[in-house]
Amino acid sequence: MPARVRRKTNAKKRSPAKNRPVAIHAVQFVLPDGTALGWSGVADDTILHQPEFQRVAVNWAYIVRNRRRWAERDDTVHDQARRAAELLGQLGLSSHDRERLAFAGHVEVVIPWSEAAEGWELRIFPWEYVLSAATRELRRDLPLSVVRRLDIGTSARSVPLAPRVLYVESAPGALAERYDFSGERAVVEANLTPQVFEALINPTRAELAFKVAAFLPDIVHLAGFDTHQGLSVLDSSPVQDEPSDGYLLRGATGAPDPIACEDLAQVLTGGSIKPALVTCNLHNSAGRIAPLLLAAGVGSAIGFQDTFDDGLAELFFGSFYHALMLADGDLVMAFDSAWEALREQPRSVQGSGLVLWSVSPMLEPAAAAASTVKSEFADRISHERAQVIEPAATTDVTEVLQVTVQPLKEANYSLLHNNRGLFKRFVIQKLKPGRVDHLRVSVELHVGADTYPYRRSFTLQEGQVDLNDLIRVPLTSSLARSRHEAMFTSLFVEVLWGEAGQERQLYRDTHRVIMLPADQWRDDDTDRVWLPSFVLPRDPAVSRIIDRAQRYLMALRDDPTSGFDGYQSIDDRMEDPTECVDLQVQAIWSAIVHDFQLSYINPPPAYSEASQRIRTPSEIVASGRGTCLDLTLLLAACLEFVEIYPVVFLLKGHAFPGYWRSNRAHAAFVEVTNAEPGTVDAADAQRATRSAGQREAWYLPRQAWPEMIQQVRAGDLVPVESVGLTSHSGFWDAVNAGHENLQPRAEFDALLDVSLARRSGVTPLPIREELP
C-alpha cells in the first residue's frame, strides 16, 4: 500500500530576526534636510548581517513580485506593512527614524558600489515598497517618494533643455508580430523637446553600439523586452537555466539575442560622451540593469523592479518626459509629477517598483531649490491643464490624438463573463499639452440578431486613457449562454472629438470577432487564467456525488455522525491535524470511483486553435465519461462544494487537481510567508529575477515551480491524478501519481488557485445542465 503524504510538522522556520551581530553594507536613508538615517555602527542582537540580508532581499523581492496574490485584501496588506516596519528595525532604524521617514516626503536610499558581485542584495531589494509600506499608517494619505543613489564617487551630467534623444525599440522575431510600439514611440517624441530625435528599430548589438558612439545621445529610451519576459513570451528559455537580466536585441540572423546587462552597459556607454539619462521601459530592469548602467558612466536611470502594466508605463514616461522639460531637467520633480499621474488612475499601483537611480545626490538640490521654482513648475502644470485644445483649430488631429484599437480575434465567453474587455488594446493618447473635451466612444457588438452597445463621453486630461479598462459589453442573454458552436460576429468602433455637429472623426472601423461557445476554454496566454470559471460547484451532479460520498466518509472516519465540514475538522491535538481533511477528499474520490464508474474519452471537437470544449459535471455523470480536464474540474467542483480549497495543475498536455490541506497553509501561501528563497549564492549576483510576477492573483506561472513544489513536499498542497477515477485507482495511489506528475519541472505550466480566483471575482459560468 502506498505511503500516505503527511505534513512535516517538525520543519524549522528560518527567521531573519534571529541574533546576527554583523551588520549589512552601510546603506543610508537621506532626507531632504540632509539628515542621514541608518545603522549607527553598534552591533547588537537585532541587526542583520550581510549573508542573512541576502536571503531577506531575495525573499522580499519575491513577495513584492507576487503582490497580486495579497494586495487586494486589507488584512494581508496590513500584515505585509507590519513585517516591513519590523524589517526597518532590523536595519537599524528606530521608531523615531520611521516617523521622520514618514513625514519627510522624499527619501534617498544611498547604496555603496564596489563591483557587480558585491552588494547585489541592496540593489535588488524593493526599497520603494518596503519604505512606503512601513510608514503607510503614519503617513495616512501623504505621499512618500523614494529614489536611489549609487555611491560611486562621481556626479551625474544634467539633462540638457534640448536633449539629443535616442529611442531604441527592440521586438525581434515573432515579438514584432504580436506587439505594437508605435504609441510608445509617439509619446516619447511628443513629450520631449529634443534637439534631435532618432529612432533605432530592432537593432543588433553592433548596430546599437555604432549608433550610440556616433550619435552621442543625452537621453536613451529603451522599449521592448527584458530577457526574462521576452524569452518567456517566445517560450524559448529553458526553465532550469534562467537567463541573466538584460535586454532582448535582434541577432545577426534575425533571431532574438539576449544581451546581458553588463554588455548592455558597455554598449550604451561606448561614446565619448555618456548619456545623462537612460530610461528602461522593461520589466526587471531596476535591480541590475539600471545600476550597472550607472557604474559604466550613465548619470541617471529609470527602471522597473519587476513587472508593470504597459498602459501605465506609457502614461508614466509621457508624464515624466513632459514634466522633465517643464522642470528644467529636475529629475525628482518630474518623477513626482509622473507618479501623481499614475495615482489618479483607477488601477492599483501598490507595490509597483518604479525606480529612479542617480550617481549624484538628488534631494539636496531639490531641498535647496527656491520655493518659487517649485511654485513656477506647479503653475506651468496648472496652466497647461486649464488650456483647452479645440478640434476646429487643429489641422491634423493625429498630431494631437492617437487612437490604437486592437480587438480580440476570438472572444472567450469566460473572459467577458468575468468583466474583462473585448480588446487586446484600446488606448487614446494625447500628444500635446492641454485638455481635450468632448471625446465620444461608441462600441457595438453584434451577435446574431442582438446588439450590445457601449457609449461614453469624457474629457482627456492626462497623457492617455486605456479604454479597455472601461468598455464592458453585457453578454447575459440566453443566446450567448446556450450557443453550441462558434459564431462570427461584428464589432463596430467609433471615436469622435468635438461637440455634436462639429465633431472630428478619430477612428471608425468594423472588426470581425469570433464569439466562442460558453463551454469552450482557450489554453493561451490570455484566456488560460479563466479556467476557475469552469469549476461549477452548484451543478446538480456535484451535490449528488457528495450525497453518495457521505457513507464513505462515515466508514473512513468510523463515525456515523461524520459530515463534510471542510477545514473545521482540523484538530491540532492529533498527530496529523489535517487527517480528517484528507478523509473527506478520499470519501469523494471513493464515491466517484465506485458509484459512478466513469471512463476516459477524448475532448469534443472545438474547431479553434488551443481550445477545448469542457463538459459540465452533469454531462460527465450522465455520459459516464470525461477527459483529464473534465475530471479535474469535476473533482475541484466537489472540493469547493465542501469548502476545501481546490487548485488545478496544468502541465504540457495534461491537467489534474489538488487541494490545500489547511486554511492556515493557504493563508500563508497568500501572504507569501511560507516561500523560502532556498540557497542564495553567486547566481543571484547575476540574476535579480528568480521568477515571473503573477498576472493574476490566482495564477502561478511555470517560473513559480520552486514555490509550488515546496508546498507539495511540505505536505501543505496535495496533488491528485484525477485520471485515476477512470481506472478505479485508490486515492493514495492517485496522490502518489500526482507527485510523480510534478517532478519533471520542464512539464509544469501553471497552477490555478480556485479559492483565490473567487476572492478576485472570478465566478462560475452560468452553465447549468439538468440531470436526466
Side-chain angles (χ1 to χ4, degrees), residues 27-55:
V27 61
Q28 288 189 319
F29 307 95
V30 178
L31 305 184
D33 63 3
T35 302
L37 306 176
W39 182 51
S40 64
V42 179
D44 60 33
D45 289 341
T46 64
I47 302 299
L48 297 175
H49 78 327
Q50 183 186 358
E52 189 66 28
F53 187 74
Q54 290 178 346
R55 292 178 57 84

PDB file of all heavy atoms in Angstrom, residues 27-55:
ATOM      1  N   VAL A  27      24.138  50.989   4.143  1.00  0.00           N
ATOM      2  CA  VAL A  27      23.127  51.710   3.388  1.00  0.00           C
ATOM      3  C   VAL A  27      22.607  52.849   4.258  1.00  0.00           C
ATOM      4  O   VAL A  27      22.461  52.710   5.476  1.00  0.00           O
ATOM      5  CB  VAL A  27      21.979  50.778   2.961  1.00  0.00           C
ATOM      6  CG1 VAL A  27      21.272  50.166   4.153  1.00  0.00           C
ATOM      7  CG2 VAL A  27      20.987  51.515   2.077  1.00  0.00           C
ATOM      8  N   GLN A  28      22.338  54.010   3.623  1.00  0.00           N
ATOM      9  CA  GLN A  28      21.840  55.166   4.363  1.00  0.00           C
ATOM     10  C   GLN A  28      20.555  55.670   3.722  1.00  0.00           C
ATOM     11  O   GLN A  28      20.316  55.489   2.520  1.00  0.00           O
ATOM     12  CB  GLN A  28      22.881  56.289   4.381  1.00  0.00           C
ATOM     13  CG  GLN A  28      24.084  56.010   5.261  1.00  0.00           C
ATOM     14  CD  GLN A  28      24.972  57.232   5.407  1.00  0.00           C
ATOM     15  OE1 GLN A  28      25.204  57.958   4.442  1.00  0.00           O
ATOM     16  NE2 GLN A  28      25.449  57.482   6.617  1.00  0.00           N
ATOM     17  N   PHE A  29      19.748  56.335   4.537  1.00  0.00           N
ATOM     18  CA  PHE A  29      18.484  56.906   4.092  1.00  0.00           C
ATOM     19  C   PHE A  29      18.577  58.426   4.315  1.00  0.00           C
ATOM     20  O   PHE A  29      18.520  58.895   5.451  1.00  0.00           O
ATOM     21  CB  PHE A  29      17.319  56.307   4.865  1.00  0.00           C
ATOM     22  CG  PHE A  29      17.314  54.799   4.839  1.00  0.00           C
ATOM     23  CD1 PHE A  29      17.894  54.074   5.876  1.00  0.00           C
ATOM     24  CD2 PHE A  29      16.762  54.105   3.775  1.00  0.00           C
ATOM     25  CE1 PHE A  29      17.904  52.688   5.859  1.00  0.00           C
ATOM     26  CE2 PHE A  29      16.777  52.721   3.742  1.00  0.00           C
ATOM     27  CZ  PHE A  29      17.349  52.015   4.780  1.00  0.00           C
ATOM     28  N   VAL A  30      18.739  59.156   3.231  1.00  0.00           N
ATOM     29  CA  VAL A  30      18.971  60.594   3.315  1.00  0.00           C
ATOM     30  C   VAL A  30      17.652  61.337   3.110  1.00  0.00           C
ATOM     31  O   VAL A  30      16.922  61.064   2.139  1.00  0.00           O
ATOM     32  CB  VAL A  30      20.002  61.044   2.261  1.00  0.00           C
ATOM     33  CG1 VAL A  30      20.200  62.553   2.320  1.00  0.00           C
ATOM     34  CG2 VAL A  30      21.328  60.322   2.490  1.00  0.00           C
ATOM     35  N   LEU A  31      17.363  62.277   4.006  1.00  0.00           N
ATOM     36  CA  LEU A  31      16.143  63.072   3.937  1.00  0.00           C
ATOM     37  C   LEU A  31      16.426  64.404   3.235  1.00  0.00           C
ATOM     38  O   LEU A  31      17.591  64.789   3.071  1.00  0.00           O
ATOM     39  CB  LEU A  31      15.607  63.314   5.347  1.00  0.00           C
ATOM     40  CG  LEU A  31      15.372  62.065   6.204  1.00  0.00           C
ATOM     41  CD1 LEU A  31      14.753  62.450   7.540  1.00  0.00           C
ATOM     42  CD2 LEU A  31      14.530  61.043   5.483  1.00  0.00           C
ATOM     43  N   PRO A  32      15.389  65.125   2.822  1.00  0.00           N
ATOM     44  CA  PRO A  32      15.603  66.389   2.108  1.00  0.00           C
ATOM     45  C   PRO A  32      16.418  67.424   2.894  1.00  0.00           C
ATOM     46  O   PRO A  32      17.083  68.267   2.287  1.00  0.00           O
ATOM     47  CB  PRO A  32      14.179  66.889   1.843  1.00  0.00           C
ATOM     48  CG  PRO A  32      13.363  65.653   1.773  1.00  0.00           C
ATOM     49  CD  PRO A  32      13.961  64.737   2.798  1.00  0.00           C
ATOM     50  N   ASP A  33      16.387  67.369   4.222  1.00  0.00           N
ATOM     51  CA  ASP A  33      17.162  68.343   5.012  1.00  0.00           C
ATOM     52  C   ASP A  33      18.622  67.934   5.165  1.00  0.00           C
ATOM     53  O   ASP A  33      19.385  68.587   5.871  1.00  0.00           O
ATOM     54  CB  ASP A  33      16.522  68.555   6.385  1.00  0.00           C
ATOM     55  CG  ASP A  33      16.509  67.281   7.234  1.00  0.00           C
ATOM     56  OD1 ASP A  33      17.039  66.247   6.775  1.00  0.00           O
ATOM     57  OD2 ASP A  33      15.941  67.311   8.340  1.00  0.00           O
ATOM     58  N   GLY A  34      19.009  66.825   4.520  1.00  0.00           N
ATOM     59  CA  GLY A  34      20.393  66.377   4.587  1.00  0.00           C
ATOM     60  C   GLY A  34      20.660  65.356   5.669  1.00  0.00           C
ATOM     61  O   GLY A  34      21.758  64.780   5.728  1.00  0.00           O
ATOM     62  N   THR A  35      19.688  65.088   6.548  1.00  0.00           N
ATOM     63  CA  THR A  35      19.866  64.102   7.604  1.00  0.00           C
ATOM     64  C   THR A  35      20.017  62.712   7.002  1.00  0.00           C
ATOM     65  O   THR A  35      19.254  62.320   6.121  1.00  0.00           O
ATOM     66  CB  THR A  35      18.671  64.110   8.570  1.00  0.00           C
ATOM     67  OG1 THR A  35      18.527  65.420   9.124  1.00  0.00           O
ATOM     68  CG2 THR A  35      18.875  63.097   9.689  1.00  0.00           C
ATOM     69  N   ALA A  36      21.012  61.968   7.498  1.00  0.00           N
ATOM     70  CA  ALA A  36      21.232  60.600   7.032  1.00  0.00           C
ATOM     71  C   ALA A  36      20.852  59.637   8.152  1.00  0.00           C
ATOM     72  O   ALA A  36      21.435  59.675   9.240  1.00  0.00           O
ATOM     73  CB  ALA A  36      22.681  60.396   6.615  1.00  0.00           C
ATOM     74  N   LEU A  37      19.863  58.794   7.890  1.00  0.00           N
ATOM     75  CA  LEU A  37      19.441  57.781   8.853  1.00  0.00           C
ATOM     76  C   LEU A  37      20.052  56.447   8.461  1.00  0.00           C
ATOM     77  O   LEU A  37      20.360  56.193   7.307  1.00  0.00           O
ATOM     78  CB  LEU A  37      17.918  57.672   8.881  1.00  0.00           C
ATOM     79  CG  LEU A  37      17.135  58.959   9.125  1.00  0.00           C
ATOM     80  CD1 LEU A  37      15.635  58.682   9.034  1.00  0.00           C
ATOM     81  CD2 LEU A  37      17.491  59.562  10.473  1.00  0.00           C
ATOM     82  N   GLY A  38      20.182  55.555   9.444  1.00  0.00           N
ATOM     83  CA  GLY A  38      20.714  54.231   9.141  1.00  0.00           C
ATOM     84  C   GLY A  38      21.340  53.617  10.361  1.00  0.00           C
ATOM     85  O   GLY A  38      21.249  54.139  11.477  1.00  0.00           O
ATOM     86  N   TRP A  39      22.035  52.514  10.133  1.00  0.00           N
ATOM     87  CA  TRP A  39      22.669  51.796  11.228  1.00  0.00           C
ATOM     88  C   TRP A  39      23.751  52.643  11.871  1.00  0.00           C
ATOM     89  O   TRP A  39      24.570  53.275  11.190  1.00  0.00           O
ATOM     90  CB  TRP A  39      23.252  50.486  10.689  1.00  0.00           C
ATOM     91  CG  TRP A  39      23.898  49.627  11.733  1.00  0.00           C
ATOM     92  CD1 TRP A  39      23.379  49.228  12.918  1.00  0.00           C
ATOM     93  CD2 TRP A  39      25.219  49.083  11.653  1.00  0.00           C
ATOM     94  NE1 TRP A  39      24.273  48.444  13.597  1.00  0.00           N
ATOM     95  CE2 TRP A  39      25.424  48.335  12.849  1.00  0.00           C
ATOM     96  CE3 TRP A  39      26.240  49.144  10.720  1.00  0.00           C
ATOM     97  CZ2 TRP A  39      26.609  47.659  13.110  1.00  0.00           C
ATOM     98  CZ3 TRP A  39      27.425  48.464  10.975  1.00  0.00           C
ATOM     99  CH2 TRP A  39      27.604  47.731  12.162  1.00  0.00           C
ATOM    100  N   SER A  40      23.747  52.666  13.184  1.00  0.00           N
ATOM    101  CA  SER A  40      24.684  53.515  13.919  1.00  0.00           C
ATOM    102  C   SER A  40      26.093  52.950  13.968  1.00  0.00           C
ATOM    103  O   SER A  40      27.027  53.642  14.340  1.00  0.00           O
ATOM    104  CB  SER A  40      24.176  53.701  15.364  1.00  0.00           C
ATOM    105  OG  SER A  40      24.174  52.445  16.033  1.00  0.00           O
ATOM    106  N   GLY A  41      26.248  51.682  13.597  1.00  0.00           N
ATOM    107  CA  GLY A  41      27.558  51.047  13.669  1.00  0.00           C
ATOM    108  C   GLY A  41      27.731  50.206  14.911  1.00  0.00           C
ATOM    109  O   GLY A  41      28.726  49.494  15.058  1.00  0.00           O
ATOM    110  N   VAL A  42      26.766  50.278  15.827  1.00  0.00           N
ATOM    111  CA  VAL A  42      26.820  49.469  17.039  1.00  0.00           C
ATOM    112  C   VAL A  42      26.195  48.116  16.765  1.00  0.00           C
ATOM    113  O   VAL A  42      25.026  48.028  16.375  1.00  0.00           O
ATOM    114  CB  VAL A  42      26.079  50.162  18.201  1.00  0.00           C
ATOM    115  CG1 VAL A  42      26.126  49.289  19.442  1.00  0.00           C
ATOM    116  CG2 VAL A  42      26.700  51.522  18.470  1.00  0.00           C
ATOM    117  N   ALA A  43      26.949  47.033  16.919  1.00  0.00           N
ATOM    118  CA  ALA A  43      26.444  45.687  16.656  1.00  0.00           C
ATOM    119  C   ALA A  43      25.640  45.201  17.856  1.00  0.00           C
ATOM    120  O   ALA A  43      26.164  45.057  18.940  1.00  0.00           O
ATOM    121  CB  ALA A  43      27.604  44.733  16.370  1.00  0.00           C
ATOM    122  N   ASP A  44      24.344  44.990  17.663  1.00  0.00           N
ATOM    123  CA  ASP A  44      23.531  44.425  18.731  1.00  0.00           C
ATOM    124  C   ASP A  44      22.809  43.198  18.200  1.00  0.00           C
ATOM    125  O   ASP A  44      23.081  42.723  17.103  1.00  0.00           O
ATOM    126  CB  ASP A  44      22.556  45.453  19.313  1.00  0.00           C
ATOM    127  CG  ASP A  44      21.597  45.997  18.259  1.00  0.00           C
ATOM    128  OD1 ASP A  44      21.243  45.236  17.342  1.00  0.00           O
ATOM    129  OD2 ASP A  44      21.199  47.175  18.364  1.00  0.00           O
ATOM    130  N   ASP A  45      21.863  42.682  18.973  1.00  0.00           N
ATOM    131  CA  ASP A  45      21.242  41.410  18.634  1.00  0.00           C
ATOM    132  C   ASP A  45      20.118  41.525  17.615  1.00  0.00           C
ATOM    133  O   ASP A  45      19.472  40.533  17.307  1.00  0.00           O
ATOM    134  CB  ASP A  45      20.683  40.745  19.907  1.00  0.00           C
ATOM    135  CG  ASP A  45      21.790  40.241  20.819  1.00  0.00           C
ATOM    136  OD1 ASP A  45      22.919  40.086  20.302  1.00  0.00           O
ATOM    137  OD2 ASP A  45      21.532  40.014  22.003  1.00  0.00           O
ATOM    138  N   THR A  46      19.854  42.716  17.131  1.00  0.00           N
ATOM    139  CA  THR A  46      18.746  42.848  16.177  1.00  0.00           C
ATOM    140  C   THR A  46      19.205  43.156  14.762  1.00  0.00           C
ATOM    141  O   THR A  46      18.413  43.084  13.832  1.00  0.00           O
ATOM    142  CB  THR A  46      17.793  43.975  16.630  1.00  0.00           C
ATOM    143  OG1 THR A  46      18.502  45.214  16.606  1.00  0.00           O
ATOM    144  CG2 THR A  46      17.241  43.707  18.023  1.00  0.00           C
ATOM    145  N   ILE A  47      20.464  43.536  14.590  1.00  0.00           N
ATOM    146  CA  ILE A  47      20.932  43.968  13.278  1.00  0.00           C
ATOM    147  C   ILE A  47      21.254  42.761  12.394  1.00  0.00           C
ATOM    148  O   ILE A  47      21.916  41.813  12.823  1.00  0.00           O
ATOM    149  CB  ILE A  47      22.188  44.862  13.425  1.00  0.00           C
ATOM    150  CG1 ILE A  47      21.869  46.066  14.293  1.00  0.00           C
ATOM    151  CG2 ILE A  47      22.706  45.308  12.063  1.00  0.00           C
ATOM    152  CD1 ILE A  47      20.790  46.966  13.750  1.00  0.00           C
ATOM    153  N   LEU A  48      20.796  42.811  11.164  1.00  0.00           N
ATOM    154  CA  LEU A  48      21.056  41.730  10.211  1.00  0.00           C
ATOM    155  C   LEU A  48      22.477  41.806   9.689  1.00  0.00           C
ATOM    156  O   LEU A  48      23.009  42.885   9.456  1.00  0.00           O
ATOM    157  CB  LEU A  48      20.094  41.830   9.027  1.00  0.00           C
ATOM    158  CG  LEU A  48      18.604  41.663   9.301  1.00  0.00           C
ATOM    159  CD1 LEU A  48      17.824  41.909   8.022  1.00  0.00           C
ATOM    160  CD2 LEU A  48      18.307  40.289   9.849  1.00  0.00           C
ATOM    161  N   HIS A  49      23.105  40.643   9.483  1.00  0.00           N
ATOM    162  CA  HIS A  49      24.395  40.654   8.824  1.00  0.00           C
ATOM    163  C   HIS A  49      24.194  40.366   7.335  1.00  0.00           C
ATOM    164  O   HIS A  49      23.117  40.000   6.891  1.00  0.00           O
ATOM    165  CB  HIS A  49      25.365  39.667   9.482  1.00  0.00           C
ATOM    166  CG  HIS A  49      25.152  38.235   9.105  1.00  0.00           C
ATOM    167  ND1 HIS A  49      23.930  37.695   8.838  1.00  0.00           N
ATOM    168  CD2 HIS A  49      26.062  37.242   8.941  1.00  0.00           C
ATOM    169  CE1 HIS A  49      24.067  36.417   8.532  1.00  0.00           C
ATOM    170  NE2 HIS A  49      25.352  36.120   8.577  1.00  0.00           N
ATOM    171  N   GLN A  50      25.238  40.560   6.543  1.00  0.00           N
ATOM    172  CA  GLN A  50      25.085  40.558   5.093  1.00  0.00           C
ATOM    173  C   GLN A  50      24.535  39.255   4.525  1.00  0.00           C
ATOM    174  O   GLN A  50      23.590  39.280   3.730  1.00  0.00           O
ATOM    175  CB  GLN A  50      26.409  40.909   4.421  1.00  0.00           C
ATOM    176  CG  GLN A  50      26.301  40.985   2.903  1.00  0.00           C
ATOM    177  CD  GLN A  50      27.640  41.196   2.243  1.00  0.00           C
ATOM    178  OE1 GLN A  50      28.651  41.324   2.917  1.00  0.00           O
ATOM    179  NE2 GLN A  50      27.651  41.226   0.931  1.00  0.00           N
ATOM    180  N   PRO A  51      25.087  38.066   4.862  1.00  0.00           N
ATOM    181  CA  PRO A  51      24.528  36.834   4.280  1.00  0.00           C
ATOM    182  C   PRO A  51      23.043  36.651   4.582  1.00  0.00           C
ATOM    183  O   PRO A  51      22.280  36.201   3.737  1.00  0.00           O
ATOM    184  CB  PRO A  51      25.388  35.731   4.908  1.00  0.00           C
ATOM    185  CG  PRO A  51      26.672  36.405   5.254  1.00  0.00           C
ATOM    186  CD  PRO A  51      26.289  37.782   5.677  1.00  0.00           C
ATOM    187  N   GLU A  52      22.638  37.023   5.808  1.00  0.00           N
ATOM    188  CA  GLU A  52      21.219  36.891   6.142  1.00  0.00           C
ATOM    189  C   GLU A  52      20.383  37.875   5.339  1.00  0.00           C
ATOM    190  O   GLU A  52      19.281  37.555   4.890  1.00  0.00           O
ATOM    191  CB  GLU A  52      21.005  37.116   7.638  1.00  0.00           C
ATOM    192  CG  GLU A  52      19.601  36.775   8.114  1.00  0.00           C
ATOM    193  CD  GLU A  52      19.273  35.288   8.007  1.00  0.00           C
ATOM    194  OE1 GLU A  52      20.203  34.461   8.073  1.00  0.00           O
ATOM    195  OE2 GLU A  52      18.082  34.966   7.831  1.00  0.00           O
ATOM    196  N   PHE A  53      20.905  39.083   5.131  1.00  0.00           N
ATOM    197  CA  PHE A  53      20.144  40.060   4.362  1.00  0.00           C
ATOM    198  C   PHE A  53      20.040  39.647   2.890  1.00  0.00           C
ATOM    199  O   PHE A  53      19.088  40.030   2.211  1.00  0.00           O
ATOM    200  CB  PHE A  53      20.781  41.449   4.462  1.00  0.00           C
ATOM    201  CG  PHE A  53      19.932  42.517   3.827  1.00  0.00           C
ATOM    202  CD1 PHE A  53      18.772  42.949   4.457  1.00  0.00           C
ATOM    203  CD2 PHE A  53      20.260  43.060   2.599  1.00  0.00           C
ATOM    204  CE1 PHE A  53      17.964  43.919   3.873  1.00  0.00           C
ATOM    205  CE2 PHE A  53      19.466  44.026   2.007  1.00  0.00           C
ATOM    206  CZ  PHE A  53      18.313  44.460   2.645  1.00  0.00           C
ATOM    207  N   GLN A  54      20.968  38.879   2.391  1.00  0.00           N
ATOM    208  CA  GLN A  54      20.842  38.371   1.030  1.00  0.00           C
ATOM    209  C   GLN A  54      19.587  37.514   0.895  1.00  0.00           C
ATOM    210  O   GLN A  54      18.840  37.625  -0.082  1.00  0.00           O
ATOM    211  CB  GLN A  54      22.088  37.576   0.643  1.00  0.00           C
ATOM    212  CG  GLN A  54      23.318  38.441   0.467  1.00  0.00           C
ATOM    213  CD  GLN A  54      24.558  37.638   0.138  1.00  0.00           C
ATOM    214  OE1 GLN A  54      24.584  36.416   0.292  1.00  0.00           O
ATOM    215  NE2 GLN A  54      25.614  38.321  -0.293  1.00  0.00           N
ATOM    216  N   ARG A  55      19.342  36.664   1.886  1.00  0.00           N
ATOM    217  CA  ARG A  55      18.122  35.856   1.886  1.00  0.00           C
ATOM    218  C   ARG A  55      16.882  36.738   2.035  1.00  0.00           C
ATOM    219  O   ARG A  55      15.869  36.513   1.365  1.00  0.00           O
ATOM    220  CB  ARG A  55      18.163  34.816   3.019  1.00  0.00           C
ATOM    221  CG  ARG A  55      19.190  33.718   2.845  1.00  0.00           C
ATOM    222  CD  ARG A  55      19.194  32.776   4.045  1.00  0.00           C
ATOM    223  NE  ARG A  55      17.874  32.208   4.264  1.00  0.00           N
ATOM    224  CZ  ARG A  55      17.403  31.139   3.624  1.00  0.00           C
ATOM    225  NH1 ARG A  55      18.139  30.556   2.697  1.00  0.00           N
ATOM    226  NH2 ARG A  55      16.214  30.676   3.891  1.00  0.00           N
TER     227      ARG A  55
END
